[in-house]
Amino acid sequence: MERPAWAPRSIDISVPSVSRIYDFYLGGSHNFEVDREAARRAMEFLPGLPKIMQANRAFMRRAVRYAVEQGIDQFLDIGSGIPTFGNVHEVAQAARPGARVLYVDHDPVAVAHSEAVLAGNDHTDVVAADLRKPQEILSSPRTQQLLDLNRPVALLLVAILHFVEDADDPYGALAELREALAPGSLLILTHASYEGIPLAPERAEGAVDVYKDIRNPLIMRSRDEIARFFEGYDMVEPGLVPMPHWRPQTAPEDEDPYAFSGFGGVGRTA
């Protein structure tokens, strides 16, 4: 397999990557056959996976525009993946020129490609760090140079927490991040769930098993378990809902049934 210029020498391109699989679902070009093969295997059980990912991105764009409308001009996107068209910095900076966006990911491909895409943009940066170690993110010189944590920040955790197992204490990580945010900050979050998937959970489990096979377990939490991530936040209307129902710009009934798989919501610190 020939290594493209955008793939760092340090990565094993024979092993599937969650961020590259996500890129494939969104129609991106920064993925390998090993990623596409894993994605196709998951889609055998859950054919609507691309629609679910597109719903995630559409929710993210609406939530970012909402944050800008609330006066927020700083964004911390953890688990950002590989930048594709319509990513956070494009949406935020189109609505608010000068908005600052820091991407965080632990996947070296995502970080390397982000650095290439963001070159020359003085208001964006990327940090190689892990959500499970919040202090690595908060204490990074790049974080401290780009963001002023004494002012409100929009913290984005879009389609990432379902890759963090309970044993790694995702609730504790979220609490640590919340404590570092100024009053008026926002948490923008989506999470996978069996609730809302338009087929039997037993069939959807086949897709979950594919992620387990590539050593990236997919943790399907209930709505109540997802709601716990918003402890310490006041929920923004309409609350924690299937993604097409969060401040829609088009009629939700026109959406693909798979778009209603999982939940999205926005919370505000007091």
Side-chain angles (χ1 to χ4, degrees):
M1 183 188 305
E2 186 175 348
R3 182 184 297 271
W6 52 264
R9 288 276 163 196
S10 59
I11 68 159
D12 183 351
I13 62 176
S14 68
V15 176
S17 153
V18 166
S19 63
R20 297 195 307 262
I21 292 171
Y22 189 75
D23 178 70
F24 171 72
Y25 289 142
L26 291 174
S29 59
H30 291 86
N31 49 78
F32 304 119
E33 182 55 32
V34 67
D35 307 304
R36 297 188 285 272
E37 195 274 332
R40 286 190 288 263
R41 279 198 292 130
M43 289 169 63
E44 289 176 9
F45 300 98
L46 198 54
L49 275 166
K51 292 294 183 183
I52 297 171
M53 303 312 168
Q54 290 162 20
N56 267 275
R57 292 304 293 262
F59 165 86
M60 177 273 289
R61 290 192 286 267
R62 295 196 304 276
V64 167
R65 285 191 285 266
Y66 170 81
V68 172
E69 290 168 3
Q70 299 303 301
I72 290 180
D73 61 0
Q74 302 186 103
F75 297 82
L76 176 58
D77 184 0
I78 302 179
S80 50
I82 296 170
T84 53
F85 177 76
N87 212 343
V88 175
H89 73 283
E90 293 176 332
V91 177
Q93 291 169 0
R96 179 76 175 265
R100 295 175 176 268
V101 179
L102 183 69
Y103 292 116
V104 179
D105 208 291
H106 75 293
D107 184 327
V109 170
V111 173
H113 190 59
S114 296
E115 288 174 338
V117 169
L118 302 174
N121 187 329
D122 294 336
H123 298 295
T124 61
D125 207 343
V126 59
V127 169
D130 195 317
L131 166 62
R132 294 167 293 188
K133 300 176 181 177
Q135 285 306 317
E136 283 188 5
I137 300 169
L138 297 169
S139 64
S140 167
R142 293 189 178 195
T143 302
Q144 295 176 358
Q145 288 166 12
L146 190 67
L147 303 181
D148 178 2
L149 297 180
N150 293 311
R151 296 195 301 110
V153 172
L155 169 62
L156 289 97
L157 295 165
V158 176
I160 183 62
L161 282 164
H162 45 237
F163 292 113
V164 183
E165 298 179 84
D166 287 342
D168 290 319
D169 192 17
Y171 297 103
L174 263 287
E176 200 169 337
L177 288 166
R178 185 191 66 235
E179 290 301 313
L181 299 179
S185 293
L186 297 179
L187 171 61
I188 297 171
L189 182 153
T190 70
H191 198 296
S193 177
Y194 285 123
E195 298 176 39
I197 295 178
L199 46 73
E202 295 76 20
R203 182 166 174 78
E205 281 175 10
V208 173
D209 288 341
V210 171
Y211 281 91
K212 190 183 300 180
D213 289 344
I214 65 171
R215 297 179 212 162
N216 282 280
L218 183 59
I219 314 301
M220 304 289 271
R221 295 185 171 96
S222 68
R223 184 187 182 282
D224 287 346
E225 289 171 323
I226 298 166
R228 280 185 56 202
F229 288 118
F230 286 96
E231 287 183 0
Y233 292 88
D234 295 325
M235 293 301 296
V236 171
E237 289 293 332
L240 183 63
V241 294
M243 291 170 288
H245 286 304
W246 198 88
R247 298 177 178 251
Q249 295 173 313
T250 57
E253 55 268 25
D254 294 337
E255 294 281 353
D256 185 283
Y258 278 99
F260 297 86
S261 307
F263 295 94
V266 176
R268 179 183 285 107
T269 56

